[in-house]
Amino acid sequence: MTTAAVRVLLADDEPLFRGTVSRLVDATPGLAVVGEAGTGRAAVALAAARRPDVVVMDVRMPDLDGIAATARITAVADPPRVLVLTAFDLDDHVYRALRAGASGFVFKDITPPRLVNAIRTVAAGESLLAPSVTRRLIAGQVPRLPRRRLDGVTPREHEVLALVTRGLSNDEIEATLHISRGTLKTHIGSLLAKLAARDRAQLVIAGYEAGLAEP
């Protein structure tokens, strides 16, 4: 049985860059471009019409910026995953994109193989952040907001969330807490439900807001 290709929508206001990424995606087995948008509003409309699995979204878009477009695209039932792609290495963009529902954030200087891997990663339901992003956010560069309450979260889940927030991988969390992969998945699934988080990226945001990234 043939596995269906991951359907990708590209949203970028630079036709040359968009065309380059389009050719890369279409040349990659298991991926297929189902639409291209040059404005934020066009991206929202095409996402509704074409039902992609992943939207590769530039932050700086005319008509409607990429972060606002991401919020609209992810507000529907069973939304596509959004991978934010930008040339601007700004913490505020990272935080707002994740709050808007993005599942990943990479920069435009990413290599073609890494971009393909990023698309596949978010399509598979995982989150993806550039390593430098997580380190700076942990250093306290995210906007200061009222402390979020973690109602219903058990002490062990609190430990797991703190480690997720600090950027540890599953292997590192298992080694730190001396738990199995199955147990970790159970804790993460419970956290997703209790915190109304769609994916690991949203858990990271919840952890920041709860102050778990602080030393």
Side-chain angles (χ1 to χ4, degrees):
M1 183 174 66
T2 302
T3 302
V6 173
R7 296 164 54 82
V8 181
L9 171 64
L10 303 176
D12 193 288
D13 65 338
E14 299 178 17
L16 180 59
F17 180 82
R18 196 169 65 240
T20 299
V21 176
S22 179
R23 288 190 292 274
L24 169 67
V25 171
D26 273 337
T28 301
L31 302 181
V33 174
V34 297
E36 297 182 28
T39 71
R41 291 189 190 280
V44 173
L46 277 175
R50 306 285 173 83
R51 302 295 297 166
D53 300 304
V54 176
V55 179
V56 178
M57 176 73 72
D58 188 18
V59 167
R60 297 223 171 157
M61 297 279 282
D63 196 21
L64 184 71
D65 72 57
I67 293 171
T70 294
R72 294 188 187 187
I73 287 170
T74 59
V76 303
D78 192 24
R81 317 282 292 181
V82 177
L83 176 65
V84 173
L85 182 66
T86 183
F88 301 95
D89 186 357
L90 300 177
D91 296 320
D92 183 53
H93 283 169
V94 176
Y95 184 81
R96 291 192 300 122
L98 292 174
R99 284 292 291 155
S103 296
F105 192 102
V106 294
F107 304 119
K108 280 190 172 179
D109 61 358
I110 191 171
T111 63
R114 288 184 179 276
L115 178 55
V116 167
N117 184 63
I119 293 171
R120 286 176 170 157
T121 296
V122 298
E126 301 294 328
S127 60
L128 187 147
L129 292 174
S132 61
V133 170
T134 302
R135 286 196 297 269
R136 286 201 318 277
L137 289 174
I138 291 172
Q141 308 254 341
V142 298
R144 293 294 179 182
L145 298 173
R147 184 63 57 88
R148 176 171 179 165
R149 293 168 56 91
L150 298 175
D151 295 331
V153 173
T154 68
R156 183 56 116 184
E157 290 166 354
H158 191 281
E159 289 180 304
V160 170
L161 181 59
L163 297 178
V164 168
T165 302
R166 293 168 191 163
L168 272 67
S169 68
N170 284 347
D171 287 342
E172 291 168 332
I173 295 173
E174 290 162 24
T176 300
L177 299 181
H178 306 290
I179 59 177
S180 68
R181 179 59 57 93
T183 298
L184 176 58
K185 287 184 175 180
T186 297
H187 288 318
I188 289 178
S190 179
L191 285 166
L192 290 170
K194 290 179 179 179
L195 300 178
R198 194 164 61 112
D199 56 22
R200 197 182 184 105
Q202 301 301 303
L203 286 182
V204 171
I205 289 295
Y208 291 142
E209 293 175 346
L212 300 186
E214 297 173 3

